[in-house]
Amino acid sequence: MFLALFGTVVIAGIVGYISEKSGFTHNGCLPSIIFCVGGAFLFYFVSIMFRIGFGSPGVDAIIASIGALIIVPTHWQN
């Protein structure tokens, strides 16, 4: 369980970094990583509580990170 949690954090950080460097987002590198890690944490714990998911914890981390990158920055725009 703890290895899946650490892997989720690492994968989310990588997704945040790659999304910023590829031009998918324009938040800055650190905010993108923070959004991804937060979204992945949230989905990880929700998937444990309610036994939902898209497959392996790695796939869940990638999908949750991309979802957080889409939802969080656009929600707070003026």
Side-chain angles (χ1 to χ4, degrees):
M1 179 195 274
F2 288 117
L3 291 176
L5 180 64
F6 294 139
T8 298
V9 171
V10 170
I11 290 172
I14 291 170
V15 169
Y17 180 77
I18 289 173
S19 68
E20 189 60 39
K21 291 300 177 182
S22 68
F24 181 69
T25 59
H26 301 289
N27 304 320
C29 205
L30 188 61
S32 290
I33 292 172
I34 291 171
F35 294 152
C36 284
V37 170
F41 263 134
L42 180 67
F43 190 78
Y44 178 78
F45 289 120
V46 167
S47 68
I48 288 175
M49 287 190 308
F50 297 110
R51 296 190 188 268
I52 59 171
F54 298 108
S56 67
V59 173
D60 290 345
I62 292 170
I63 293 172
S65 297
I66 293 171
L69 279 176
I70 293 171
I71 292 171
V72 174
T74 57
H75 180 71
W76 296 105
Q77 285 181 350
N78 290 332

